[in-house]
Amino acid sequence: MMYKGQPASPGIIIGKIFVISKDIKFSKSEKIKASNVENEIKRLKQAIEKTKQDVLLIKEKIISDIGNKDAEIFDAYILFLNDRSFVEKISKIIREENVSVEYALQKLLEDYIKLFNNISNSYLKEKIVDIKSLFEKIAKNLSEESSELFPKKGKWVIVAQELSPADTAEMDKKNILGFITETGGVTSHTAIVARSLEIPAVVGLKNITQQVKKGDLVIMDGEKGIVIINPDTNTLEAYKKERLKYLIKIKLLKKLKKLDAVTLDKHKIILNSNIEFPEEVAVAKEHNADGIGLVRTEFIYINRTNLPTEEEQFLIYKSIVEKMAPKPVTIRTLDIGGDKFLPYFKISPEQNPFLGLRSIRLSLSNPSIFKTQLRAILRASAFGNVKIMFPMISTIEEFIEAKNIVNEVMEDLKKKKISFDEKINIGIMIEVPSAVIMAEELAKKADFFSIGTNDLIQYTLAVDRGNPNVAAYYNPLNPAVLRMIKKTVESAHKNFKHVSVCGEMAGEPHLAFLLLGLGVDELSVSPASILQVKRLIRNINFRDAFEVAETVLKFEKTEDIKEFILTRIKSYLLNK
Ligand code: PEP
Ligand code: MG
C-alpha cells in the first residue's frame, strides 16, 4: 500500500512501524468476578511500579537532553504514585464494585476532573492535564499489548496522529528511524524538529494511524513524501538500491563540511544555521556555519512546570554564544502561541491562535517575562557576538515598544554595573505582510531584517502552515511571496541594512538560489540542510541567480516559476 504525504525531512529508510496512540482505552468491560478482585489489585500495583520507573527515566532523559534541572512535574508524578491513599482509592472501587482496574482508574479520573472543574484558581485548574497524563501512563502500563508509549529499545518508524514538542523531547532519538504523522505541514513543529535531528519524516498523511499496526514493514522516502506499507519484494529491492544511492549522496555532501559557501564567481555567501535545541550548535560548527541566524528560544520554556529563571536562560545563551564566538548568534525572543504552547502559561482560548496573542504580542503583554529573557540575552552578549531579534513584528509601534523595553533593561544593567554589549544589534523578523508594506520605515529603525518565510507565506496566502487540507496552496514560489521578499530586500538595502532568510525556504537548494537572486544577504538553515545548500552555492554563479530572479519575478504563475528554476538548477548540478 503506497501513500503520499508532505515531504518533511529527507532520507530513505526501511524499518518497522511503532504506532503512538494517545487515546488510551480505559476498560469497556467493567464487571469482573469477585475471585478476580485481588488479581486486579495486583495488576494495579505492578502498573504503578512500572509507571514510577518510566517517569524516573523520562525525568533523567529530559534533564540530560534539555539541560533542565527543573523537571519538577516528574517529582510530582512520583509523589502521587507513592501516595498510598491513591492505591487505596482505586482498590476500594475495585473491591466494592467488582470492576476492572481500568474501569476504576477511569472512574477516579472522572472524579478528579469534576473536582478540578470546581476550582476557581486557573493555575491549579490546569493541573488536571498532568493528572490525566499520569493516568494515561498507568493505563498504558496495564495493557499487555504494548506497555510503551514511546519505543525504548530497537529502531522504529514512529507513526502518530501528531507529535507535540513535549513528545519529541521525551522520545529517545536513538530508537527512532523516522516520523510519519497525520497532521502537520512542511513547516510544522514535527517537520522542523525532524530536520534538525536529521530524522526522515513524512507529515500530513491523514488517517495513517488507522491503516497500520505495530511491526508493519515500511519504506519511507522523506524527500518525496512517499510511504509504502508492507511492500512486495520488487519494491523492497528497488528501495534498497535507492537508499544506497542516498547514503552515497550524503557521504559526498559530508566532504563539504569544512569548505566555505562560495559561488563559482567567488562570491562568499553568509550561510548560518538555525538552532532548535542546544545540541545542534555542535552540528552547526562541524558544518562550518558562519553563525547562528536563529535561536528558537522556545526549547528553554517547554517541558517544565514553570518559567525559566534569568540565570538558567543566561547560562544556556552564554554557552551557545561562547561556543560560536567570534561568530554571531541571533537570539530570537520567545515565539509562543500559534502552534506552540506552554503547559504552565495558558492564554485564554482563541478561535484563531495564529492571529491571536502570539509571539512578540505575548511578550509585550507580559513585560516581566519579556524583561527576564532580555536581561539573560543581554548578559550573554558580554561573552561573544550576540544579536537580538523580535518575532512577528506587525507594526512600527510594536517595534518601538519592544526596543524601549530593551533600553529599560539596559539602563538597569548599567546601574548594577553588569556588563553587556551596549552596541548590540536589534533586528526584526519579517513574517507578516504589514511589516513588508512598512519595511522602509522599519528598516530605518531596525539593525537588520530576517524574513521568516514559514509565517510570511502563511499570512500572505492565508494558508495555515500546519493544515494538510490546504498544503497545496502553501507554496514559497507563489509570485506574491516572491514580490514580498523582493520588496523587503529593496527596503532594507535602501537603508544599508542586511536581510537574512531563516524560514525553511532557505534550506531548499533551488529556493535558496532564488533567494540569493532576490538579493537576500544571508541564509539561515537547519543544521541538516547546511551541506546541501553549500553544495548548491559552490556550483552556481552569483550573477546567474540575479538573472533568474529577475526573469521569474515577471511570471504570474507558481508552476511556471518552479519549472524555470528547476531546469536552471538541474543544469548547474548535473553530474555533480
Ligand atoms: C518562520 O516563520 O519562518 C520562522 C523562522 O519562525 P518559526 O518557524 O519558528 O515560526
Ligand atoms: Mg515564524
Side-chain angles (χ1 to χ4, degrees):
M1 196 65 106
M2 175 159 147
Y3 302 89
K4 178 96 177 61
Q6 297 281 314
S9 177
I12 296 175
I13 44 158
I14 300 169
K16 294 246 166 71
I17 280 182
F18 188 104
V19 186
I20 292 181
S21 157
K22 294 273 189 61
D23 12 309
I24 305 295
K25 309 245 178 328
F26 288 107
S27 177
K28 278 182 238 128
S29 57
E30 59 193 78
K31 284 290 175 199
I32 57 162
K33 286 190 205 133
S35 57
N36 275 344
V37 162
E38 288 316 310
N39 194 37
E40 285 301 283
I41 293 173
K42 194 170 143 206
R43 284 181 64 222
L44 167 69
K45 287 183 180 159
Q46 282 169 346
I48 288 183
E49 272 315 304
K50 174 97 189 45
T51 310
K52 261 192 244 170
Q53 285 162 16
D54 291 349
V55 169
L56 283 173
L57 282 176
I58 297 169
K59 183 185 160 192
E60 269 171 34
K61 199 185 149 325
I62 287 190
I63 290 172
S64 84
D65 275 10
I66 309 179
N68 170 15
K69 305 246 173 329
D70 213 349
E72 280 167 12
I73 183 63
F74 300 102
D75 292 331
Y77 281 173
I78 297 286
L79 276 180
F80 201 97
L81 293 167
N82 277 336
D83 182 359
R84 295 242 315 269
S85 70
F86 172 61
V87 181
E88 275 158 20
K89 269 186 205 138
I90 303 175
S91 306
K92 191 163 173 251
I93 302 175
I94 299 175
R95 274 204 188 95
E96 287 178 358
E97 302 183 26
N98 273 352
V99 290
S100 66
V101 55
E102 285 90 345
Y103 182 84
L105 261 182
Q106 187 179 17
K107 189 154 186 251
L108 186 62
L109 178 60
E110 278 161 13
D111 288 349
Y112 279 128
I113 293 175
K114 271 187 220 136
L115 195 75
F116 276 71
N117 271 342
N118 292 330
I119 296 178
S120 54
N121 177 324
S122 62
Y123 175 75
L124 280 180
K125 211 178 176 123
E126 305 294 344
K127 293 285 155 209
I128 190 64
V129 179
D130 295 324
I131 294 191
K132 264 193 199 156
S133 157
L134 187 61
F135 271 64
E136 282 167 1
K137 285 187 194 327
I138 301 172
K140 192 85 191 169
N141 278 333
L142 281 167
S143 138
E144 278 169 17
E145 197 181 301
S146 160
S147 59
E148 302 162 14
L149 204 50
F150 303 120
K152 303 215 170 56
K153 50 180 188 288
K155 291 212 174 283
W156 302 90
V157 177
I158 301 291
V159 176
Q161 269 168 1
E162 69 178 330
L163 294 168
S164 69
D167 292 333
T168 43
E170 188 172 325
M171 278 180 221
D172 209 333
K173 319 294 182 297
K174 74 174 187 306
N175 299 123
I176 296 166
L177 283 177
F179 290 121
I180 301 173
T181 60
E182 295 189 353
T183 59
V186 183
T187 56
S188 63
H189 176 81
T190 313
I192 292 175
V193 168
R195 278 193 294 275
S196 62
L197 296 169
E198 304 192 17
I199 294 175
V202 175
V203 299
L205 257 184
K206 276 195 228 161
N207 291 327
I208 188 73
T209 55
Q210 311 298 321
Q211 323 286 326
V212 296
K213 59 180 185 320
K214 189 177 175 192
D216 277 347
L217 187 66
V218 59
I219 295 174
M220 183 176 138
D221 182 341
E223 206 155 30
K224 300 208 175 87
I226 289 174
V227 168
I228 306 171
I229 309 292
N230 295 327
D232 59 35
T233 331
N234 287 346
T235 315
L236 192 61
E237 287 311 311
Y239 268 94
K240 278 186 185 161
K241 285 194 191 118
E242 282 298 311
R243 179 170 153 73
L244 205 63
K245 268 197 236 157
Y246 176 77
L247 294 177
I248 293 169
K249 184 175 130 191
I250 294 293
K251 209 167 160 196
L252 288 175
L253 274 182
K254 298 250 152 122
K255 292 200 169 139
L256 300 176
K257 272 187 193 174
K258 294 276 163 268
L259 302 179
D260 266 341
V262 187
T263 60
L264 292 173
D265 47 355
K266 303 282 171 251
H267 193 93
K268 166 81 184 92
I269 306 290
I270 300 177
L271 182 56
N272 293 323
S273 175
N274 294 344
I275 64 164
E276 181 96 350
F277 300 110
E279 308 93 78
E280 289 172 306
V281 177
V283 187
K285 280 191 79 166
E286 204 187 312
H287 292 186
N288 199 17
D290 293 306
I292 304 290
L294 164 67
V295 179
R296 286 189 165 96
T297 56
E298 294 77 58
F299 72 86
I300 305 174
Y301 292 73
I302 59 169
N303 276 313
R304 45 185 300 143
T305 50
N306 51 6
L307 284 161
T309 62
E310 176 188 322
E311 195 61 21
E312 279 174 280
Q313 294 192 60
F314 162 67
L315 292 174
I316 296 171
Y317 301 143
K318 174 171 171 271
S319 141
I320 300 172
V321 169
E322 281 182 334
K323 281 185 192 138
M324 289 306 294
K327 292 178 175 176
V329 175
T330 303
I331 303 180
R332 176 177 77 181
T333 61
L334 188 59
D335 189 17
I336 286 295
D339 62 350
K340 293 177 258 184
F341 301 100
L342 303 177
Y344 53 88
F345 184 78
K346 288 272 161 59
I347 48 175
S348 46
E350 296 181 313
Q351 289 228 334
N352 294 300
F354 272 113
L355 302 181
L357 193 61
R358 82 167 273 220
S359 211
I360 191 70
R361 297 173 184 171
L362 199 77
S363 294
L364 292 176
S365 58
N366 292 278
S368 81
I369 298 178
F370 192 36
K371 282 184 187 170
T372 303
Q373 182 172 35
L374 289 171
R375 280 177 69 90
I377 301 175
L378 284 167
R379 283 173 57 200
S381 73
F383 297 85
N385 184 350
V386 176
K387 301 180 192 188
I388 297 178
M389 177 157 83
F390 301 128
M392 221 192 131
I393 291 288
S394 59
T395 65
I396 301 274
E397 290 90 329
E398 249 171 2
F399 184 49
I400 294 174
E401 197 184 337
K403 252 175 96 161
N404 284 343
I405 297 181
V406 177
N407 286 335
E408 260 179 56
V409 175
M410 283 181 167
E411 283 311 311
D412 192 49
L413 289 173
K414 268 191 219 167
K415 258 191 230 146
K416 300 202 167 94
K417 304 219 172 344
I418 298 174
S419 44
F420 63 94
D421 176 4
E422 293 187 26
K423 297 207 171 65
I424 193 166
N425 273 355
I426 303 178
I428 60 178
M429 288 192 70
I430 302 287
E431 307 191 88
V432 185
S434 62
V436 178
I437 292 165
M438 298 302 287
E440 279 203 32
E441 290 75 3
L442 283 167
K444 291 191 173 68
K445 300 192 176 344
D447 292 320
F448 63 91
F449 283 166
S450 185
I451 307 180
T453 46
N454 304 341
D455 277 315
L456 185 61
I457 297 168
Q458 100 163 331
Y459 293 127
T460 300
L461 304 177
V463 180
D464 178 344
R465 62 193 257 191
N467 181 346
N469 294 337
V470 288
Y473 292 97
Y474 186 96
N475 199 321
L477 289 177
N478 184 303
V481 173
L482 302 187
R483 289 178 199 192
M484 286 272 174
I485 297 171
K486 183 72 186 161
K487 170 153 174 38
T488 306
V489 170
E490 281 173 352
S491 309
H493 287 179
K494 238 189 230 175
N495 291 285
F496 310 104
K497 303 290 163 64
H498 257 213
V499 181
S500 161
V501 170
C502 63
E504 300 307 302
M505 190 175 174
E508 286 278 335
H510 67 291
L511 301 177
F513 172 72
L514 183 58
L515 289 172
L516 295 174
L518 289 169
V520 165
D521 305 289
E522 301 182 20
L523 300 171
S524 192
V525 308
S526 73
S529 303
I530 295 177
L531 296 183
Q532 55 179 10
V533 174
K534 204 190 273 186
R535 170 175 176 254
L536 169 104
I537 291 171
R538 295 180 61 84
N539 285 293
I540 57 163
N541 277 307
F542 194 51
R543 56 171 191 277
D544 289 341
F546 276 96
E547 196 193 292
V548 167
E550 210 177 358
T551 308
V552 300
L553 273 176
K554 296 187 192 114
F555 291 179
E556 291 176 3
K557 293 187 190 142
T558 308
E559 267 315 304
D560 296 344
I561 297 174
K562 188 172 170 191
E563 198 188 311
F564 190 81
I565 292 175
L566 286 179
T567 314
R568 291 294 288 263
I569 291 281
K570 262 188 206 143
S571 72
Y572 299 133
L573 295 184
L574 210 63
N575 301 324
K576 291 276 165 55

